[in-house]
Amino acid sequence: MVDDPLLLARLQFALTAGTHYLFVAFTLGLAPFLLFGQLSATLRGDAGRMLGVRFWGGLYVVNYGMGVLSGIVMELQLATGWKGLNEVFGYTFGAPLAVETMGAFFLESTFLGLWVFGWDRMGRWTHLSCLAVVTATAYASAFWVLVANGFLRHPSGIRMQDGTAVLTNPAALLAFGHVTVSALLLGGLVTAAVSAYHLSRGHDPHGIYRRGVHSGLAVITAAALPTVALGGSQHVLDQRPPPASGLTYSATEIARIEDAYGATATAAVFGHLGYAVMVLSWLLVVGVAGVGAVVWLLGGLRRWRWFHWTLVFSPVLAFTASIGGWVYRETDRQPWAVTHLLTTADARTEMSAGAAAASALLFTLAFLVLATVTYRLLVRFARRGPYGGPLAPPTEHTEHTDGTQPPEPVL
Amino acid sequence: MEHPAALALTSLTVGYFVLAGCDVGLGMLMPHLARTAGDRRRLVAAIAPYFLGTEVWLVATVGMMVGLFPEVESRLPAAVVLLVLLPGWLSRDAGLWLRSRSRTAAWRHACDTAVVVGSWALAVGLGLVLADLLTGGRPGPATVFYTLTTVLLLALRGAAFGAERLVPPEHAAGRAESADAAARLTRTLARGGVVATALATGAAFLPGAGPERLLPAAAGAAVLVAVLAVASGLSGPRWSGTTSALAVAIPPLVTALSAGLPTPAAPPQTLALVGTTLLPLVPVMAVGQIWLYRLSRRPASTPGFFA
């Protein structure tokens, strides 16, 4: 396996993209909760609700940092490890990514910095508007990335003869819808799980977790069916011929390449497995949502500990579904990097086996460490509650390591 | 450079070197400038809010290269990017994000080490990429001197930034040793920069090591020596903020002007898509950047998210 640089490069990219997507889904899922939480806190001038925003915001920022790191690794890997893709389709595949990095990510990172450092230093509406920019650009990022990804799967608007064809590509729009609602599902599960953990311990300062479990469960219930509807509707595309088929390879050559790959290739097996994991996880989430709705109607949501513990472990389902879904989506296209136009083997940068192995080993280790550390930090801060998180308000007990006094609050 | 898109790409790269030179350079100098736990916290507090807003410039540069200049991008040395630059970035960022997530001394030491090692690797990686583009991918002695010059200039930028930002808040009785050490270092680094520039200029005459267009390269070297001369003694650290910014802008500028990079214009449809989407956002991007810069002008004295 180590002798096959193509397999190594694919595994490395799959690992990078898979890890990155876990952080992305968490970001997308939690951002609307934060935004509406802060809007509500700002409208009411409620310090307790604002403390809740600090708590969820702390988890968001810890997660965001690792999302940026893995995203940058992915971008540069795409740029240097898959030159064939950029040489042939750079202008079509790369343009949405250019917009994503320059427009969306640039703004998202800058305004997240403003949001984190502007706490207690800005007017409350100004501060809220920074978070609004962060939320909007997070979703804009997802949109542009899926426009690029949708082109690989269903290459319409080839060579940008028609820019709108790239943007209205059903493979991009349906996937964006699916990613959006499934991320909300994930956000709801995480919010409900963390809230349930604290409620089960009889710990609910300022009603943060009571509101959390209610809104989390409401979102899970609302998002479960749209997730599967938008996911399943993408199968319609499988019946249609790829828009640009025949441009680089003739029908005979395409058939030969696909036959050589075969339906029993390792990647294809992984793909079926990913699909099964995704569907099974979703079914279990629907079960949790259904039981949750009954528990809510019976008035046990804040008291029944067995249900709290069901919720605590349920976010695992959303994460396995996310990974399974991506494995399925990306293996489903193989052996093509761009359907019927460019094979994955031709998309890869020629690199010596040694360099490919070194790169794969390095990033596998780095990602293992990063993902583990982030997971443990998220669990730790989630358990500590609103006074122990990374964005917790400074108190008189906060240590001043250099012996200085806190500055006068501005505004 | 005939094309507005090429100008935009060059501006993004130069902007990244000028802004990120501050935090990358200061990270490189941490072992020298920050001796106590309090010093290190203050140094990270000076870098931390800032790096979030500056690294997006590099991301935007790479994004633009992928989208509009795939041919330039295919000239990037993959091994350097994947094995030096990227691991360096990863290590530095992980150190900064994770540093204040735990209070134990061992954790902070590990994160500080990640920041220092990562900053050096990132600086060397950037230097190697520019050197590779300038020499047309032929490694030799010139590669070493081009890289050395870039690394020294990044460190100089960091020292100048430190001289300004490591000054403690006024009410914390005057311990400004780190800032003073950084100010002294600007002179040493500027002198080192003059020597490195001279060596790099000499190396450009080696067969096959020179940039394709000599005039901009020679002009760049001349300006660099003049600017570094000012920084190295004439007025000292007083002007180092400006001189270091000018100096660190020159390596990417010389590379863009003289490396003979293939820059065919992207198809008009691609340019239209990118242009119409991004142009309305440019004012928002500028406002956000300036706002973040002003907000983090003085490092917070209370422990915050990063330090």
Side-chain angles (χ1 to χ4, degrees):
Chain A
M1 189 179 93
V2 210
D3 306 332
D4 184 355
L6 174 61
L7 191 62
L8 269 180
R10 285 179 57 191
L11 271 176
Q12 182 182 341
F13 194 75
L15 180 81
T16 314
T19 316
H20 178 61
Y21 186 66
L22 290 184
F23 298 121
V24 169
F26 192 103
T27 299
L28 291 176
L30 208 54
F33 281 91
L34 275 181
L35 187 62
F36 285 106
Q38 186 163 354
L39 177 67
S40 160
T42 308
L43 279 172
R44 295 163 205 253
D46 181 349
R49 280 186 161 80
M50 199 55 102
L51 190 67
V53 177
R54 281 186 185 265
F55 171 66
W56 300 111
L59 301 183
Y60 182 88
V61 180
V62 168
N63 168 74
Y64 180 84
M66 297 307 117
V68 173
L69 288 187
S70 52
I72 285 161
V73 173
M74 198 163 85
E75 187 195 16
L76 282 170
Q77 249 183 44
L78 204 56
T80 49
W82 298 92
K83 281 183 181 168
L85 189 57
N86 299 318
E87 274 162 22
V88 187
F89 298 107
Y91 291 128
T92 321
F93 171 69
L97 290 182
V99 175
E100 192 271 332
T101 50
M102 275 193 288
F105 173 71
F106 196 104
L107 287 175
E108 187 183 4
S109 227
T110 309
F111 279 83
L112 185 73
L114 284 167
W115 188 68
V116 170
F117 295 102
W119 223 309
D120 306 324
R121 293 203 214 183
M122 288 179 190
R124 50 195 189 133
W125 288 102
T126 319
H127 191 235
L128 176 66
S129 57
C130 288
L131 183 61
V133 175
V134 173
T135 309
T137 47
Y139 280 88
S141 274
F143 173 74
W144 287 104
V145 167
L146 286 167
V147 165
N149 178 275
F151 172 78
L152 301 182
R153 188 175 169 80
H154 193 73
S156 55
I158 182 94
R159 297 193 197 286
M160 298 298 286
Q161 274 154 4
D162 182 1
T164 50
V166 180
L167 296 189
T168 56
N169 184 350
L173 294 181
L174 292 173
F176 178 62
H178 180 60
V179 161
T180 302
V181 285
S182 62
L184 285 174
L185 194 63
L186 190 150
L189 283 166
V190 169
T191 313
V194 174
S195 302
Y197 170 79
H198 286 280
L199 287 175
S200 78
R201 291 155 51 104
H203 178 228
D204 192 16
H206 308 283
I208 291 171
Y209 303 122
R210 176 173 52 79
R211 285 192 297 276
V213 79
H214 284 162
S215 54
L217 203 56
V219 169
I220 299 167
T221 316
L225 277 178
T227 298
V228 76
L230 285 161
S233 63
Q234 295 178 74
H235 285 304
V236 177
L237 289 175
D238 298 342
Q239 320 304 323
R240 293 194 213 161
S245 186
L247 264 186
T248 42
Y249 290 103
S250 69
T252 333
E253 283 170 316
I254 289 172
R256 187 175 46 77
I257 291 169
E258 289 187 344
D259 285 344
Y261 180 73
T264 52
T266 322
V269 176
F270 270 113
H272 296 313
L273 209 61
Y275 186 76
V277 166
M278 174 176 74
V279 172
L280 184 67
S281 304
W282 177 82
L283 279 173
L284 291 171
V285 169
V286 170
V288 172
V291 174
V294 175
V295 172
W296 196 340
L297 285 174
L298 296 177
L301 207 49
R302 281 147 66 185
R303 290 178 289 119
W304 294 357
R305 294 192 59 185
W306 64 268
F307 184 64
H308 290 153
W309 284 99
T310 312
L311 282 181
V312 166
F313 292 103
S314 62
V316 175
L317 299 170
F319 285 113
T320 52
S322 300
I323 290 289
W326 267 111
V327 169
Y328 169 60
R329 183 179 174 85
E330 297 306 294
T331 51
D332 193 40
R333 196 177 64 231
Q334 299 303 327
W336 301 103
V338 184
T339 307
H340 287 196
L341 296 177
L342 178 74
T343 62
T344 310
D346 287 338
R348 197 182 66 88
T349 309
E350 277 308 315
M351 209 192 285
S352 72
S359 161
L361 186 69
L362 190 73
F363 287 107
T364 307
L365 285 177
F367 268 56
L368 270 179
V369 171
L370 276 183
T372 314
V373 169
T374 311
Y375 168 75
R376 293 185 58 169
L377 286 174
L378 285 174
V379 170
R380 189 213 285 174
F381 290 129
R383 291 172 65 161
R384 271 196 198 164
Y387 294 104
L391 289 182
T395 63
E396 49 194 294
H397 305 296
T398 314
E399 63 164 339
H400 295 286
T401 37
D402 53 0
T404 55
Q405 294 299 309
E408 290 294 313
V410 182
L411 286 171
Chain B
M1 285 286 270
E2 305 79 21
H3 204 275
L7 194 66
L9 181 67
T10 311
S11 313
L12 280 174
T13 318
V14 169
Y16 172 69
F17 271 78
V18 171
L19 291 172
C22 297
D23 54 76
V24 176
L26 200 50
M28 291 161 74
L29 302 176
M30 177 144 66
H32 180 73
L33 297 181
R35 301 296 171 91
T36 68
D39 285 347
R40 280 190 288 273
R41 195 193 77 76
R42 200 180 304 124
L43 190 142
V44 173
I47 296 178
Y50 200 72
F51 89 100
L52 198 62
T54 58
E55 65 182 16
V56 295
W57 287 72
L58 183 57
V59 178
T61 305
V62 177
M64 188 155 188
M65 232 184 253
V66 172
L68 303 183
F69 299 97
E71 290 187 41
V72 175
E73 186 230 300
S74 66
R75 287 267 293 266
L76 292 182
V80 171
V81 172
L82 288 178
L83 296 175
V84 184
L85 202 149
L86 208 44
W89 180 317
L90 200 60
S91 156
R92 187 183 82 114
D93 271 35
L96 288 171
W97 279 102
L98 298 174
R99 188 180 192 274
S100 58
R101 302 285 75 81
S102 166
R103 294 196 184 286
T104 64
W107 177 272
R108 297 220 164 139
H109 180 71
C111 288
D112 289 341
T113 310
V115 170
V116 175
V117 173
S119 299
W120 277 95
L122 185 54
V124 171
L126 290 169
L128 282 172
V129 168
L130 293 187
D132 189 90
L133 293 175
L134 274 172
T135 57
R138 292 179 291 267
T143 312
V144 177
F145 296 129
Y146 294 157
T147 308
L148 179 70
T149 311
T150 308
V151 170
L152 278 175
L153 294 181
L154 286 167
L156 170 67
R157 180 80 181 131
F161 182 70
E164 197 182 309
R165 301 278 178 124
L166 296 179
V167 179
E170 280 166 28
H171 47 261
R175 259 180 40 85
E177 285 156 28
S178 297
D180 291 344
R184 282 193 298 275
L185 206 56
T186 55
R187 294 192 172 197
T188 320
L189 286 168
R191 286 172 196 155
V194 172
V195 176
T197 309
L199 289 171
T201 312
F205 290 103
L206 294 174
E212 286 199 9
R213 285 188 282 275
L214 281 176
L215 193 63
V223 174
L224 195 50
V225 168
V227 164
L228 290 175
V230 174
S232 67
L234 289 180
S235 81
R238 193 151 50 103
W239 285 357
S240 62
T242 316
T243 47
S244 66
L246 280 172
V248 83
I250 289 177
L253 200 59
V254 164
T255 309
L257 289 172
S258 58
L261 292 166
T263 52
Q269 290 88 352
T270 302
L271 287 173
L273 173 75
V274 176
T276 48
T277 320
L278 287 183
L279 277 182
L281 294 178
V282 168
V284 191
M285 289 156 84
V287 166
Q289 286 277 314
I290 294 167
W291 194 2
L292 186 62
Y293 183 80
R294 292 182 60 87
L295 199 67
S296 54
R297 197 159 37 181
R298 283 244 158 264
S301 52
T302 45
F305 181 81
F306 285 106

